Each structure stands twice: as C-alpha cells, then as structure tokens.
C-alpha cells in the first residue's frame, strides 16, 4: 500500500492553528502580517509565529511559512530580516512564488527548505525538475493538472509533490491572473485579490468555481504518489479547518492500512458539505481538463445544504417538507426572490412536514428552497471532539528509586531522553515501599502537559520511602525537560547571512535610439508588420507560427531578428509541448530563428536544458512579463538557470518609478511594453459571461483560454521622457487594419490608440 501522505492544514489565525494541530495535521502553512498570498486573513505576528513553531514542533507538526507574493526591490531586504529569527527557531520550510525571493532564501538561508508555490504555475515534470535542480525540495503544481500529469512528475523527478485536495479554487491558473490587478488595482500576486471572478455576469456567476472535495478520491490520489494533501482555507474558521483535517487524515490512514470504506468517505463528504461548500463540490481537475461541472452559475458564496422546500406560505409562517434532517438551532436561508434567514426551533426528520415561523413571508412562495448554513450540533461536536480535544504525545517512563541514592525519573518519546533527579537521597521507609500501581497512577496524571503516559517501568531497591510530593515535582520537571528537548531539536545554530539589501542608487539615464520589438499572434497582424515600413529590431512570433512557412517567408521579406514565443501554458499531458520543443530546437540549430521569447517556467526549464549546448550558442533569450521580474534578485536567479545574460519585458504591474529602480533597467536589459492588451486571465475552463468574444482567445492544442483586457495599454509617448529605449508592441487580437494603424501612429510619434490608457505605468498596484 502507498505511504500515508502529509495532511497540510491552512492557518489564517491562531485559533485555526490550534484547531489544526489538535485535529491531527502533520503540517500547517501560515503567513506573517506581510508577504503572504492571503493579505486579508488575520495572519500571524512574528512573535506568534515563533510561539507557533515551538508549539507545533512539540507534536512533530511542521510549519511552512507562505512568502508566496511578488516583492518590490525595497522589500527583499525586509524579507531577510523577517525570516532570520524564524529560521533560527526552526522554521521547516518557506513557500515561494517570486524568483527573487527564491534566490535570497537559497543564498541567505541555505539550510531552509524551499517549496515552489502553485503561484509559480509549474505545469509539468520539466518545470518541476528545474525547480529541484536549483534548490526546491517540494513543488506545488498547478491545480489544473490531471492525475496522469501528477504521476509524470513523480515518475520523472525526485521531488516532493504537494497538491490541493480540498477547498476553494481559482478560475485562472494560479499566478497567471491579472484581472483583479487591472480591474481594481488589487494584485492577486501581492495577496490582495478582489475576486472579480466571483461576480455575476450575463451568463450568471460564469467564473465562480465550486469548492474542491476529493475525500472519495483519496485512494487514487495516494496511488499517484502525492506526498502532501493540501487543504485550502486560510480565510476559513476553526470548524472548517478541524473537520477537513480530521476527514482527510482518517480516510488516508484507512487506505494506507488497507481498510478504506467508500461509505465512510461519503459520510465525511456530507459532513464537510455542511461545514462549508460553494455551490456544492467538484473533484477539481484531477480527472478532467475542464467543464461546467466545476462552475456554480447561481451563487458565488457559501451555498449551505438543501434541507427543505416550502410547501405553502401563510402570514408569518411557512409549511415545509424536510429533505434532510434538520436540528434545533440550525441556521437556514430561504432563497427565492430574496434571501430570508430563519433558525429552526425544533428537530425535524427528513421527509416530515411541519410549520415554522418566518419573517417577510410576502417575499416567499411555494417551491422556494431552504438551505442550512450553520449546523449547530455538528459544530458543537467538532468543538468537543476535535478542537478542544488536546493532542497528546505518548511517553514511556523509567523510575529508579534506591535507598541512599537520589530518585530519578526518565521520560522518552522514543527519540529524546530526559531525566529529573531529586535533591536529596531516599531514606528507608518505615511502612514499606509504595506499590508500583500507585506510583504509575501518580506519574500518569500529566494534566496540561503535551504528554500521555504509555507505559512505566520501576526499579526499586532497599524499600525506600517515596514522597508523593517529590515524585510530582520530578514528573513536572521531566515533562518540562522533554518538551524543551523536543523544541531544541528543531532550532538552528547558524545565524545565516546579514541582511543583504538591494542597492537603490539613483537611476542612470540611458541615452540612445529607440529599439522596437513587435509580438504578433495572428497571420493578419504579420502582414501589417512586414508592410509597415517601421524599423523593427525583433519580430516575435506566437508559438502557433511554428508549423507554417511564415518563418521562411519572414526571413526573405524582413531584416528583423526573428524570435519564436513559447505557449502561455506548457503542459505535458499529451505530446504537444514536447513536439513544440523538438521543433524549436531544430529551428534554433538551423539558425532559422534568432531567439526565444519565454512565457512560463516549464518552457524556461525546457529551453534551459538544450540552450546550454554549444550548437545553440548565440541564441538570444527574452523573458515575458508573466515571469514577474519585480526585483533585481529575480533576474539573477533566471540568469543562473539559463547560464547566460537575458533580456526581459518589464512587469505590467510595476509603475515607471519602480521600473527605474531596477538594476536591469540601468543595465539596459529591460524592454518596455508601450502597447498591448493585457492577458487578464489564463484558464483551463471556457471563459463565459458578459465578455465580448473578441477578447477571448482559445488555444485548444495547449489547453488554455485567454481573457484579454478590452482596453489596450498605450504609454507612447506621453509622460515617458527618454528613459526607456527598448520598446515592445504586443498584438493579440488586433485586425490587420488595427495593427497597421498602431504602427503608423508609432512612426509618427503620437498616441497609439488615441485613448492613452496607461495601466499601472502611471499609478501603482497594492
């Protein structure tokens, strides 16, 4: 049978932390007051994290710190100072998105394990292998991966794999969503997502994903080799956390022991549904690529459980028929033309009809459904039997009591041994030695300590007098020593490096001629580019051009450097991406293209693997803004991976002042996008709603859908100064005429759209 996976619990507050530990989790993930991807959770102060580390470590529970946001230059130094005391206290790992943060942790705290966050959008064993090679001990792949893709990672890479098994799901590939950022100024990459995907559109809540629940799929997930079952929910309460941990711990342990029961799993699923669900549950992407079964078009929030229907409506009362057992104290919502809240004053069995008092009955009608939103007795049960049931560590005790010698009491948890000794020697007893059963009973009363007595051995010689008061003191001392010994075993003695702050010297003005690059994603746009007469240094072709004759034709018709872009998403569930890489290598080898435009970490890994060979010397590389170079350290990390200097397109989320602070800007390695529609979302699911089809692009071969901003960013040339010389125009869904007009306007030195929407260039993002 497969090994039991780690059960990893979300902790957004100190209450959920204690609930998770008591429920039996193997590890928790939490965040400080800054740097985490859930900025609106209560989160932990540094002092609380230190306390949590010690408390968790006593029980053998690991603590992973989420620092999975993107960091501006000045924040990198703050990150080092923040991590240092936690590192020394024994922090078990950090979860990282930003490659700059990855670089800093790797170099400043070499003993600290790094987990590659799902925000890194790792979609293949190729990407996972790269993260392993450069220092990650664990990868959290994209939630969109199927079980065969997870197996591919486990079969090809010796790295721990952590996968989400329960909780809320994003409509977009994690780390590839800019919708909240560009629609409201709150960046999901900074932990401040405003969840625009949960809003109502013409087609309903067309992008509101149901919560994931895989409790009945645990055997298949374990057979796939997943090392850690991750529960989402740092914004959830202690009942949610405790019930989810208890459910997955129990079912996973059952399967590992060879006694899995589907009936038992279904009972836990019903229990989890009552604690919290959004539109019911789905199994996520493990067994499918997409589908409306994952979407709830009707309601974006807590759905509750359907427990009754209205049979008739009276004045101040309703007659109902229960479809599930209802319990006294249950909070319910009647959802019709409006929402009416009631609380049940009695127990009602499924199938029974009864009358209940209800307010605003004029707004209700026959057939309206009633949903339970709070199962009072279930919450009471969880609190009593999970949350308040203190976790205990079994210990064995050894008592040595010799007349004329000091009494000794030793405790061990199997790994650590501690001994407490009495101050004075034992005198002979006038009434004989105390019975062993009484001594065991006394030592076994361990009260509020983390321990429970598993067994005790006594070695008594000479009939000594054993004082119960002294024995109690020895027991207390031994328990305290053992707790301290366990905690000490996690601490580190190396201090780590000093804070390495980024140099923030004033920007150096770069003089020189403007250099223009153009990305084209449609053949019609390429016609406009070729015939424009504009001097273009680089023409970057979308990956879809790889199979046509466009590259050869472009060679004949243009003197521009030709780059080929990788797909926006690179998965290995079929051979599409592998075929693309083979073709890309051939084009590079024959020098039919001059460079590669890299859009994701999986493509980066594939390119890094072959570009190191001498036959590819001279092939130029540009990193897309989707690789998020927010700080100087990020580019250092990418250059370490690629073993060469690279250029990159500035992040679309940084304003002009932030861009000028970057060292690569001063070195002329940065390229500024002056025109283009931002890719707001990349989703495995179809994008629907009150969104014009003109702004939705599909890539069936590579399995993703794109949502484009209806407004094209235009930062040419107003308020630009002469600081930025390497410029980029990015065509996505423009027609041939629209592309020609943009290039004409560029050549004339005027606004490229006439609307002058500058995105974040003139503002900032939080």
């Amino acid at each position: 049978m497969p090994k039991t996976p780690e059960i990893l619990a979300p902790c957004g507050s100190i209450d959920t932390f204690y609930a998770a530990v008591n429920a039996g989790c193997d590890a928790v993930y939490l965040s400080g007051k800054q740097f985490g991807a859930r900025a609106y959770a209560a989160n932990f102060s540094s002092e609380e994290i230190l306390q949590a580390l010690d408390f968790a470590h006593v029980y053998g529970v690991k603590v992973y710190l989420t620092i999975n946001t993107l960091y501006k230059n000045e924040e990198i130094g703050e990150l080092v100072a923040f991590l240092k005391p936690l590192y020394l206290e024994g922090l078990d790992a950090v979860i990282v998105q930003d490659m700059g943060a990855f670089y800093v942790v790797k170099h400043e705290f070499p003993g600290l394990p790094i987990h590659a966050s799902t925000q890194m959008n790792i979609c293949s064993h190729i990407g996972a292998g790269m993260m392993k090679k450069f220092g990650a001990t664990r990868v959290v792949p994209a939630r969109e991966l199927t079980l065969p893709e997870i197996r591919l990672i486990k079969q090809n890479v010796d790295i721990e794999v952590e996968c989400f098994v329960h909780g809320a799901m994003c409509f977009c590939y994690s780390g590839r969503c800019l919708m909240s950022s560009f629609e409201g100024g709150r960046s999901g990459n900074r932990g401040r997502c405003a969840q625009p995907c949960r809003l109502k559109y013409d087609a309903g809540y067309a992008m509101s994903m149901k919560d994931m629940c895989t409790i009945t799929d645990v055997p298949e997930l374990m057979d796939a080799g997943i090392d850690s079952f991750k529960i989402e929910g740092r914004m959830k309460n202690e009942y949610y956390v405790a019930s989810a941990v208890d459910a997955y711990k129990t079912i996973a342990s059952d399967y590992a022991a060879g006694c899995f029961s589907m009936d038992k799993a279904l009972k836990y699923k019903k229990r989890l549904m009552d604690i919290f669900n959004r539109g019911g549950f789905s199994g996520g992407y493990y067994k499918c690529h997409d589908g409306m079964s994952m979407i709830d078009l009707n309601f974006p929030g807590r759905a509750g459980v359907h427990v009754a229907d209205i049979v008739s409506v009276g004045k101040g009362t309703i007659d109902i028929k229960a479809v599930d057992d209802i319990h006294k104290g249950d909070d319910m919502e009647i959802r019709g033309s409006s929402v009416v809240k009631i609380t049940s004053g009695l127990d009602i069995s499924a199938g029974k009809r009864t009358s209940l008092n209800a307010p605003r009955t004029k707004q209700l009608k026959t057939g309206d459904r009633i949903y339970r939103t709070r199962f009072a007795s279930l919450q009471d049960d969880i609190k009593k039997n999970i949350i308040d049931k203190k976790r205990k560590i079994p210990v064995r005790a050894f008592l040595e009591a010799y007349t004329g010698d000091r009494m000794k009491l030793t405790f061990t948890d199997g790994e650590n041994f501690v001994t407490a000794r009495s101050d004075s020697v034992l005198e002979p007893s006038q009434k004989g030695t105390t019975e062993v059963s009484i001594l065991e009973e006394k030592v076994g009363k361990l009260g509020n300590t983390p321990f429970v007595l598993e067994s005790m051995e006594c070695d008594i010689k000479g009939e000594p007098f054993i004082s119960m008061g002294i024995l109690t003191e020895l027991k207390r001392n031994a328990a305290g020593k053992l707790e301290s010994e366990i905690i000490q075993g996690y601490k580190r003695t190396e201090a780590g490096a000093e804070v390495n702050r980024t140099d923030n010297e004033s920007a150096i003005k770069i003089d020189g001629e403007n250099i223009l690059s153009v990305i084209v994603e449609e053949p019609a746009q390429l016609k406009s580019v070729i015939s424009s007469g504009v001097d273009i240094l680089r023409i970057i072709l979308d990956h879809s051009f790889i199979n046509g004759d466009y590259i050869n034709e472009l060679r004949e018709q243009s003197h521009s450097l030709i780059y080929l872009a990788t797909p926006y998403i690179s998965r290995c569930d079929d051979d599409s991406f592998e075929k693309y890489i083979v073709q890309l290598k051939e084009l590079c080898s024959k020098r039919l293209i001059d460079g590669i435009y890299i859009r994701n970490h999986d493509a980066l890994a594939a390119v890094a693997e072959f570009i190191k060979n001498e036959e590819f010397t001279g092939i130029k590389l540009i990193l897309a803004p989707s690789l998020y170079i927010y700080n100087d350290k990020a580019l250092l990390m990418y250059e370490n991976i690629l073993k060469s200097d690279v250029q990159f397109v500035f992040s679309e989320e940084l304003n002009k002042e932030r861009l000028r602070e970057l060292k690569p800007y001063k070195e002329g390695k940065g390229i500024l996008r002056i025109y283009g529609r931002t890719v707001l979302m990349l989703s495995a699911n179809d994008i629907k709603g009150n969104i014009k089809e003109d702004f939705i692009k599909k890539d069936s071969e590579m399995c993703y859908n794109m949502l484009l901003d209806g407004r094209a960013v235009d930062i040419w040339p107003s308020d630009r100064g002469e600081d930025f010389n390497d410029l980029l125009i990015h065509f996505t869904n423009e027609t041939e005429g629209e592309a020609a007009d943009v290039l004409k306007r560029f050549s004339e030195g005027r606004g490229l759209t006439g609307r002058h929407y500058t995105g974040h260039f003139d503002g900032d993002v939080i």
Side-chain angles (χ1 to χ4, degrees):
M1 298 300 290
K3 68 175 182 179
T4 305
E6 171 188 87
I7 304 301
L8 177 56
C11 296
S13 68
I14 198 70
D15 289 338
T16 54
F17 167 73
Y18 288 123
V21 174
N22 285 337
C25 71
D26 302 297
V28 300
Y29 64 104
L30 50 80
S31 176
K33 297 292 186 181
Q34 53 186 339
F35 304 134
R38 287 293 181 270
Y40 299 114
N43 293 322
F44 293 71
S45 67
S46 293
E47 185 58 38
E48 286 173 331
I49 298 174
L50 291 171
Q51 293 172 3
L53 281 166
D54 289 350
F55 184 88
H57 286 161
V58 169
Y59 296 95
V61 173
K62 294 181 178 180
V63 177
Y64 307 143
L65 184 71
T66 62
I67 53 172
N68 56 339
T69 57
L70 300 180
Y71 298 88
K72 298 170 184 176
N73 251 347
E74 71 271 14
E75 294 169 336
I76 288 291
E78 296 174 14
L79 175 64
V80 177
F82 169 62
L83 284 178
K84 189 171 182 179
L86 308 180
Y87 170 82
L88 293 175
E89 194 67 18
L91 181 65
D92 295 282
V94 286
I95 305 172
V96 176
Q97 174 190 8
D98 189 316
M99 276 297 199
F102 194 105
Y103 181 93
V104 167
V105 173
K106 179 180 175 181
H107 288 83
E108 307 284 2
F109 305 104
L112 184 58
I114 305 174
H115 297 175
S117 171
T118 191
Q119 292 290 116
M120 276 195 180
N121 189 225
I122 302 297
C123 293
S124 72
H125 64 277
I126 300 171
M130 177 186 73
M131 298 315 301
K132 162 77 175 180
K133 180 178 179 180
F134 288 95
T137 58
R138 177 180 294 189
V139 64
V140 190
R143 275 176 264 203
E144 288 76 8
L145 297 197
T146 61
L147 278 178
E149 289 172 291
I150 299 296
R151 290 192 192 97
L152 272 177
I153 295 176
K154 289 300 299 180
Q155 290 165 4
N156 287 279
V157 188
D158 181 20
I159 193 170
E160 292 180 356
V161 173
E162 171 184 308
C163 292
F164 285 90
V165 297
H166 192 87
M169 296 186 68
C170 293
F171 185 79
C172 183
Y173 280 94
S174 295
R176 302 302 296 275
C177 184
L178 295 175
M179 194 170 182
S180 176
S181 177
F182 275 81
E183 297 300 311
R186 285 169 47 177
S187 173
N189 287 312
R190 302 274 292 166
R192 294 171 171 85
C193 181
Q195 296 190 314
C197 56
R198 299 290 184 192
L199 298 177
K200 190 173 185 178
Y201 297 91
D202 288 347
Y205 296 97
M207 292 186 282
S208 184
M209 300 283 284
K210 295 178 181 179
D211 280 4
M212 176 197 292
C213 179
T214 63
I215 194 72
T216 56
D217 300 322
V218 162
E220 292 172 85
L221 301 183
M222 290 174 64
D223 288 344
I226 296 172
D227 299 283
S228 179
F229 281 7
K230 186 170 193 170
I231 298 164
E232 184 279 336
R234 278 185 288 149
M235 301 290 286
K236 301 294 198 307
N237 63 28
E238 60 269 31
Y239 299 103
Y240 170 95
V241 172
S243 59
V245 168
D246 179 60
Y248 284 90
K249 182 80 171 181
T250 301
I251 298 302
S253 298
D254 283 356
Y255 185 61
C259 57
F260 171 80
S261 163
M262 181 58 75
D263 286 343
K264 187 175 181 180
L266 287 169
K267 288 178 182 177
Y268 271 111
K269 184 174 183 178
K270 188 175 187 298
R271 182 183 176 102
L272 292 169
M273 182 83 75
D274 249 310
I275 290 299
F276 189 92
N277 77 87
R278 185 182 276 106
F281 286 142
S282 84
Y285 289 97
Y286 289 117
K287 297 180 181 179
C288 62
H289 275 287
D290 55 21
M292 288 303 295
S293 63
M294 300 185 201
I295 307 292
D296 179 21
L297 293 171
N298 301 310
F299 197 68
R302 181 173 187 167
V305 174
H306 177 212
V307 293
D309 297 310
I310 294 180
V311 177
S312 63
V313 179
K315 187 175 182 180
T317 63
I318 52 173
D319 287 335
I320 70 165
K321 181 177 180 180
V323 298
D324 198 351
D325 291 341
I326 299 172
H327 309 84
K328 184 177 180 179
D330 285 356
D331 291 336
M332 298 179 289
E333 289 183 356
I334 307 169
R335 295 182 190 147
S337 58
S338 63
V339 176
V340 175
K341 297 183 178 183
I342 61 174
T343 300
S344 178
L346 64 161
D347 294 328
I348 308 167
S349 300
K352 184 178 179 182
R353 293 182 57 165
T354 191
S355 179
L356 294 176
N357 294 326
R360 297 156 52 198
T361 50
K362 289 183 179 180
Q363 300 177 24
L364 306 177
K365 66 181 186 299
T366 300
D368 283 350
R369 287 188 162 195
I370 302 174
Y371 294 84
R372 176 168 52 224
T373 55
R374 178 177 174 271
F375 193 160
S377 58
L378 176 57
Q379 286 193 353
D380 290 343
D381 178 68
I382 291 170
K383 182 170 176 56
K384 177 182 177 182
N385 294 307
I386 302 177
I387 295 174
D388 291 344
K389 193 172 183 179
K390 304 298 183 185
R391 190 166 174 174
K392 295 291 184 180
I393 304 163
V395 295
R396 301 194 306 276
F398 303 89
L399 180 68
E400 296 179 38
Y402 305 158
T403 301
D405 201 353
R406 295 162 65 191
M407 183 164 57
K408 293 188 291 186
L409 180 63
T410 299
F411 275 1
T412 179
D413 62 350
E415 294 184 10
N416 303 280
F417 290 81
V418 296
T419 300
R421 294 174 172 81
S422 62
D423 293 332
S424 57
V425 301
L426 296 176
E427 300 292 335
S429 172
Q430 302 297 318
K431 299 181 179 180
T433 302
T434 307
E435 292 183 10
V436 169
S437 60
I438 296 175
L439 299 176
E440 289 180 354
E441 181 181 1
K442 192 69 174 178
V443 172
K445 294 179 179 179
L446 290 167
N448 290 326
T449 72
F451 308 111
V452 61
L453 186 65
E454 183 179 56
S455 64
M456 179 171 165
E457 297 178 20
C458 296
D459 185 8
I460 302 173
K461 295 180 180 178
E463 295 191 346
F465 171 70
I466 300 175
S467 164
M468 292 297 102
I470 293 175
L471 185 59
T472 298
E473 183 180 355
L474 289 185
K475 172 186 67 178
R476 188 182 301 115
N477 290 343
K481 281 186 172 184
L482 183 56
E483 186 172 351
S484 297
E485 188 77 7
I486 294 171
I487 292 170
Q488 192 61 39
Y490 285 86
K491 293 185 179 183
R492 298 180 177 93
T493 54
E494 54 186 284
E498 293 300 315
V499 174
N500 184 9
R501 297 194 180 276
T502 302
D503 179 14
N504 278 323
E505 63 183 74
S506 59
I508 301 170
K509 185 174 180 179
I510 299 173
D511 297 316
E513 295 292 327
N514 289 329
I515 297 171
L516 181 65
S517 301
V518 178
I519 298 176
V520 293
E521 297 193 3
E522 302 290 344
Q525 299 158 4
L526 185 57
K527 291 181 181 179
S528 295
V529 170
I530 294 173
S531 62
S532 68
V534 175
D535 187 12
I536 299 172
L537 176 65
R538 314 177 189 96
I539 297 176
I540 303 171
L541 301 175
D542 184 65
H543 74 93
S544 57
F545 285 85
I546 198 168
N547 293 317
D549 296 324
Y550 297 103
I551 295 174
N552 289 327
E553 292 176 5
L554 190 55
R555 276 283 177 205
E556 296 174 358
Q557 299 177 46
S558 172
H559 296 294
S560 302
L561 297 174
I562 301 173
Y563 285 65
L564 195 65
T566 68
Y568 283 91
I569 297 290
S570 302
R571 294 172 61 168
C572 291
D573 55 333
D574 58 27
D575 59 359
S576 297
F577 180 58
E578 285 91 338
K579 283 182 179 178
Y580 168 83
I581 293 298
V582 170
Q583 291 174 284
L584 181 64
K585 288 170 66 176
E586 184 177 356
L587 290 172
C588 290
S589 180
K590 293 179 178 179
R591 289 302 190 267
L592 293 176
I593 61 173
D594 302 287
I596 305 169
Y597 184 71
I598 303 173
R599 285 171 165 158
N600 61 71
H601 285 116
D602 301 282
L604 177 82
V607 171
E609 186 60 30
F610 75 75
I611 205 74
K612 63 187 179 183
N613 297 327
E614 287 187 9
E615 65 176 300
F616 301 108
T617 301
I619 295 295
K620 303 176 187 302
L621 305 174
I622 299 176
L623 305 183
S626 49
L627 291 176
Y628 299 123
I629 296 176
Y630 255 55
N631 52 70
D632 295 341
K633 302 297 185 185
L635 188 60
L636 280 177
M637 187 66 194
Y638 285 125
E639 288 178 337
N640 281 352
I641 292 171
L642 293 165
K643 303 300 182 187
S644 68
D645 289 338
V646 296
Q647 289 184 285
F648 70 99
V649 180
F650 288 120
S651 170
E652 298 153 335
E653 291 195 290
L654 295 181
N655 63 24
K656 57 190 174 224
E657 286 78 18
R658 300 286 184 192
L659 297 180
R660 291 186 180 108
E661 291 173 358
L662 293 173
K663 187 176 180 183
Y665 156 78
K666 302 166 189 175
E667 296 174 346
K669 294 180 179 178
I671 301 171
L672 179 68
R673 182 190 68 159
I674 59 171
Y675 171 88
R677 287 190 171 90
T678 302
V679 179
L680 298 178
M681 275 191 173
L682 289 168
S683 177
N685 256 296
D686 283 341
I687 297 171
K688 302 178 186 297
N690 56 350
I691 300 164
K692 290 183 179 180
E693 287 294 323
D694 293 347
F695 301 111
I696 298 173
K697 296 188 69 175
K698 301 178 184 293
D699 191 315
S700 300
E701 187 176 15
M702 295 296 178
C703 300
Y704 59 81
N705 301 286
M706 299 165 54
L707 173 62
L708 302 174
D709 195 334
R711 306 158 296 176
V713 166
D714 175 359
I715 52 177
W716 174 267
S718 176
D719 196 30
R720 186 186 57 82
E722 297 299 327
D723 297 298
F724 301 94
N725 303 107
D726 206 339
L727 310 175
L728 173 69
I729 289 175
H730 183 179
F731 293 128
T732 50
N733 63 341
E734 286 81 2
T735 64
E736 182 178 350
E738 288 170 336
D741 184 59
V742 169
L743 290 169
K744 184 174 184 293
R745 285 171 172 270
F746 174 81
S747 67
E748 295 171 353
R750 58 196 179 103
L752 304 181
T753 64
R755 289 179 295 185
H756 199 61
Y757 165 65
T758 63
H760 291 304
F761 188 71
D762 289 320
D764 204 359
V765 66
I766 61 172

